[in-house]
Amino acid sequence: MTQSDVSPLPAAVDELWWRRAELSPADAEARAVVVGAVDMLDSGKARVAEVSRTGEVVVDERARRAVMLAFRVLGMVRSQVGDFHHHDRVPLKTSVEGVRVVPGAIARWGSYLAPGVVLMPSFVDIGAHVDEGSTVGTWVSIGAGAQIGRNVRLSRGAGVGETGGQDGAEDPRATGEPSGTVPVVVEDGALIGGGAVIVDGARVGRGAVVGAGTVLSGSTPVVDVRTGEELGRGRVPDWCVATGGTRWREFPGGGFGLRCVLVLERLEEGHRPGRAELDRLLHG
């Protein structure tokens, strides 16, 4: 992870961050700065993180600070959409042009949904970025700051995020420095199986398929089943099929299986396996 030296957001966000303990919803000037910054996230003119041309995740720390400051300077407000009543600091998005939003879907202000996105009944949190052509399946949860690429499919019940840097964002009394954890990133063309959980700075590479029920955190070992080699932690490589597994380890109290992610197959770039092929790869 690297931090961006250039942010489209105003430097006033940093000044507010350093005196965040003094802020409250009564600070109209501070609220105006934060609302303007989060509006830029909402419209896609800024984002919490993105993958650079060199393949590295670049984080806009100022954007993360703006998200957390929103919970300090916004007061609780009652609102209503149809028959649904809300009482929250963060309102819902008001602009979803070009996005298919199925009843029951919830997207908070400050999240970006590109044209061509499909939202089944699901939840998208502030600071998240969902790019063109992606499908967010039923009961999927996308946490604050999570970054979803183009033409990604998040299957039913998957959870993507939160990022470590957003911990405590819901509590306006939180004063801790962002942890520095990289936001969760799911890159272009990836498929996340039903009930999978991608959290704590984990990253799924381009075109990768992650099997149903897989749990991937930033510290999860990723292992190639053909060689037994550990490929790293918290990152599923590009163009592969991966699923949850265990590695045996001996402890003084006995042998136990510890969670890992197994890379079962490498795919040709651009190849998306069909259902029958996936069943064979994932289940034998």
Side-chain angles (χ1 to χ4, degrees):
M1 177 192 81
T2 60
Q3 292 186 14
S4 174
D5 294 328
V6 179
S7 173
L9 302 182
V13 171
D14 294 334
E15 189 275 329
L16 292 175
W17 178 255
W18 297 123
R19 60 182 186 90
R20 60 193 177 279
E22 309 167 7
L23 301 180
S24 75
D27 296 296
E29 186 175 342
R31 187 169 63 253
V33 170
V34 173
V35 167
V38 178
D39 274 342
M40 292 182 70
L41 293 171
D42 189 83
S43 66
K45 295 176 181 177
R47 58 192 298 178
V48 170
E50 60 186 320
V51 179
S52 71
R53 292 182 179 179
T54 60
E56 191 171 14
V57 177
V58 179
V59 177
D60 185 342
E61 196 62 47
R62 191 174 290 170
R64 285 211 289 197
R65 290 173 174 176
V67 168
M68 287 183 281
L69 286 168
F71 292 93
R72 283 192 161 272
V73 301
L74 298 177
M76 297 290 286
V77 176
R78 295 189 181 276
S79 61
Q80 182 176 352
V81 179
D83 292 331
F84 293 94
H85 295 259
H86 308 273
H87 188 215
D88 195 9
R89 285 187 169 82
V90 178
L92 302 185
K93 283 184 71 67
T94 58
S95 176
V96 288
E97 187 174 350
V99 178
R100 180 186 171 201
V101 182
V102 176
I106 297 173
R108 265 176 154 180
W109 166 69
S111 62
Y112 174 70
L113 305 173
V117 165
V118 175
L119 287 189
M120 301 303 286
S122 55
F123 179 78
V124 183
D125 209 346
I126 184 174
H129 186 105
V130 185
D131 222 325
E132 297 174 2
S134 291
T135 298
V136 181
T138 303
W139 311 137
V140 167
S141 176
I142 300 178
Q147 305 293 297
I148 311 299
R150 292 180 174 86
N151 301 315
V152 170
R153 180 172 180 84
L154 304 177
S155 301
R156 182 185 182 96
V160 182
E162 299 281 333
T163 73
Q166 301 304 126
D167 288 346
E170 293 286 359
D171 184 354
R173 298 166 298 177
T175 58
E177 186 71 24
S179 69
T181 302
V182 181
V184 171
V185 175
V186 179
E187 297 188 57
D188 296 351
L191 168 62
I192 308 299
V197 178
I198 317 295
V199 292
D200 294 340
R203 180 176 174 185
V204 177
R206 292 183 303 115
V209 177
V210 176
T214 300
V215 177
L216 177 70
S217 73
S219 60
T220 304
V222 178
V223 180
D224 188 324
V225 298
R226 296 190 174 187
T227 65
E229 176 189 4
E230 183 175 311
L231 304 175
R233 291 182 177 250
R235 180 177 179 182
V236 173
D238 296 348
W239 300 106
C240 73
V241 177
T243 191
T246 57
R247 286 197 305 181
W248 194 256
R249 205 172 147 189
E250 294 291 338
F251 293 90
F256 300 91
L258 298 182
R259 178 180 290 149
C260 67
V261 168
L262 305 175
V263 174
L264 303 177
E265 187 78 11
R266 298 286 185 161
L267 302 171
E268 290 186 17
E269 185 169 343
H271 173 58
R272 172 65 68 85
R275 183 180 296 274
E277 184 181 358
L278 275 180
D279 284 343
R280 176 183 63 80
L281 292 173
L282 290 168
H283 307 298

